[in-house]
Amino acid sequence: MKIVLFCLLGAGLILSGCNSRTLGSHQGADFVEQTASTRKAAGKRNDPPARLDLGEAQRALNDYRRRYGLEPLKFNPLLQKAAAAHAAELSRYSRVSHTGRNGSNPAQRVRAAGYRWSSVGENVSAGRMSIAEVIKAWHKSPPHRKNLQLRRAVDFGMAVSHNPDSVLSNYWVLVVAAPERARQGKMSIGFGGRDQ
């Protein structure tokens, strides 16, 4: 299996997101696989499992959106299902990607979870310990920030999954979306970019 290393950020190997602007088309390598050389370069972090309180996540996301004059997001169990499944896959395989191992993209995963969307955005991150850290990192990255500030979004699901054998330890996924009935104009999809 050919392994592609997308980004190594310092000795801590803290990665987030992938760049893609069009549905079904990915430019360049958009995933990270943990390898023996990656583990040696970054060392074993041994981070404990990150804690995700969905009420706290909703408050943090809505506080963030309020600062930009945006409507609050409501928790959606279908988006949560999509986020949790993708976070578990990322954690299991120690990878950071918007592409599932089966080739799926965020829109396909959200639809498979039963959510019929008109607009959808996904942010991924790894190596962070808290909701506050993740939101701060996503805010610093223009493609991630675009999804946090997605004007059409009304619903969200968020998950974190822990892999104690991974250098990155904790894998986060946020999905924001608007249902079909809320569609205004064309359908859109956004994938977060990697944060610096």
Side-chain angles (χ1 to χ4, degrees), residues 38-55:
T38 304
R39 184 183 299 266
K40 183 178 178 185
K44 182 120 169 81
R45 291 171 50 125
N46 292 321
D47 287 339
R51 188 181 71 80
L52 174 60
D53 175 300
L54 290 171

Side-chain angles (χ1 to χ4, degrees), residues 54-85:
L54 290 171
E56 180 185 346
Q58 185 170 16
R59 282 187 297 280
L61 289 166
N62 288 335
D63 287 348
Y64 176 89
R65 289 175 61 87
R66 197 171 298 112
R67 288 192 301 252
Y68 297 94
L70 300 168
E71 294 296 317
L73 299 173
K74 297 178 311 234
F75 171 78
N76 182 284
L78 298 175
L79 296 181
Q80 179 66 23
K81 179 180 173 183

Side-chain angles (χ1 to χ4, degrees), residues 102-171:
N102 65 356
S104 65
N105 65 42
Q108 292 165 331
R109 288 189 295 277
V110 166
R111 175 101 39 196
Y115 188 97
R116 298 188 60 80
W117 58 271
S118 63
S119 185
V120 63
E122 177 184 80
N123 285 355
V124 299
S125 183
R128 310 222 186 277
M129 288 299 300
S130 70
I131 295 164
E133 280 183 59
V134 170
I135 291 174
K136 183 178 179 180
W138 285 336
H139 174 73
K140 290 180 180 180
S141 163
H144 284 110
R145 186 170 51 245
K146 183 177 177 180
N147 286 337
L148 287 173
Q149 296 177 10
L150 188 62
R151 188 166 298 281
R152 290 186 212 153
V154 296
D155 297 320
F156 87 97
M158 188 173 191
V160 63
S161 184
H162 182 256
N163 179 344
D165 296 323
S166 170
V167 172
L168 300 175
S169 301
N170 295 299
Y171 295 79

